[in-house]
Amino acid sequence: MAVQGTFDDCQDIVKGMFNHAAFRHRVALSGVNSINFARIAAQAVYYFTTSVALGAPGRAMNYVVPSGNFGDA
């Protein structure tokens, strides 16, 4: 999916989905923010999966961690 606009435009879309109670309940919408440990734990799976796919632990891996809005940090 692509959104033409800024990060704030995307945030507005997400906020709108959460504010639409019928939609939120129908799709069991939930969210995890950047200060929630569950988000960090879930995102760790990306790094683990990628490392294994690229040959870890026999191959050293380095990652650049995105820090927009401190996500992933």
Side-chain angles (χ1 to χ4, degrees):
M1 172 173 24
V3 175
Q4 184 147 1
T6 66
F7 177 81
D8 291 334
D9 296 328
C10 293
Q11 286 287 88
D12 290 342
I13 293 168
V14 173
K15 288 177 184 178
M17 289 189 300
F18 275 101
N19 287 330
H20 191 289
F23 173 79
R24 186 177 69 237
H25 294 302
R26 185 174 71 245
V27 300
L29 187 64
S30 63
V32 180
N33 65 32
S34 59
I35 60 171
N36 187 310
F37 181 74
R39 176 178 176 186
I40 295 168
Q43 289 174 343
V45 173
Y46 303 146
Y47 301 110
F48 177 80
T49 303
T50 303
S51 295
V52 171
L54 294 174
R59 179 178 176 200
M61 298 290 147
N62 291 306
Y63 291 94
V64 175
V65 179
S67 61
N69 279 353
F70 255 49
D72 248 357

